[in-house]
Amino acid sequence: VLELWNSSTVGGSTNSAEAIRTRLTRDADLFILAFDGSRLIGTLMGGWDGWRAHMARLAVSPEYRRNGIASTLVAMVEERLAAKGARRIYAASLIESAQAGRFWRAAGYVENSVVDPLAKTLE
């Protein structure tokens, strides 16, 4: 997973095998992987805290893009989040990736005029 993220997206300061293991202890059913045979070609992490739903780390190998993989991953996570009771989903999109922003908008996600996302990296 880390290799795919590093080769397909902008790296993240909090990406680590330990973070992935921790994530899998919370919402393993919302951590969706796409394969072509045994090759990992896509990921999407969903999260549900009982109040708000989130999606992050949408990644598809560059040579597999524009084949509906990302849309399929999003639809799968949206369906699972809705089944848990989610009524709104926030999607993390890297500001520096115009391609990511275009994808999320095409999927029906819009800028939020109510909540301004802020982040703090804990050391």
Side-chain angles (χ1 to χ4, degrees), residues 44 55 58 70-75 78 89 91 99-110:
L44 179 57
M55 287 192 284
L58 175 60
S71 296
T72 299
L73 291 169
V74 169
E78 285 177 341
I89 303 170
Q99 181 181 16
R102 285 190 302 272
F103 169 83
W104 285 110
R105 284 181 195 85
Y109 289 77
V110 297

Side-chain angles (χ1 to χ4, degrees), residues 16-26:
S16 69
E18 180 182 349
I20 292 170
R21 283 190 293 275
T22 299
R23 185 78 201 119
L24 289 171
T25 65
R26 289 215 16 117

Side-chain angles (χ1 to χ4, degrees), residues 3-109:
E3 184 179 316
L4 175 67
W5 290 350
N6 290 332
S7 67
S8 302
T9 67
V10 176
S13 62
T14 59
N15 295 347
S16 69
E18 180 182 349
I20 292 170
R21 283 190 293 275
T22 299
R23 185 78 201 119
L24 289 171
T25 65
R26 289 215 16 117
D27 294 311
D29 62 319
L30 297 173
F31 198 140
I32 308 297
L33 305 177
F35 289 90
D36 181 6
S38 62
R39 181 179 178 198
L40 178 64
I41 60 167
T43 67
L44 179 57
M45 289 191 310
W48 171 243
D49 64 10
W51 185 258
R52 292 285 187 241
H54 300 269
M55 287 192 284
R57 279 310 192 186
L58 175 60
V60 176
S61 293
E63 61 271 26
Y64 287 87
R65 291 179 184 163
R66 313 277 321 155
N67 290 302
I69 296 166
S71 296
T72 299
L73 291 169
V74 169
M76 291 173 69
V77 173
E78 285 177 341
E79 183 178 302
R80 292 176 187 196
L81 287 167
K84 291 178 180 289
R87 296 182 60 216
R88 175 174 292 165
I89 303 170
Y90 294 91
S93 179
L94 295 172
I95 293 169
E96 61 194 76
S97 175
Q99 181 181 16
R102 285 190 302 272
F103 169 83
W104 285 110
R105 284 181 195 85
Y109 289 77

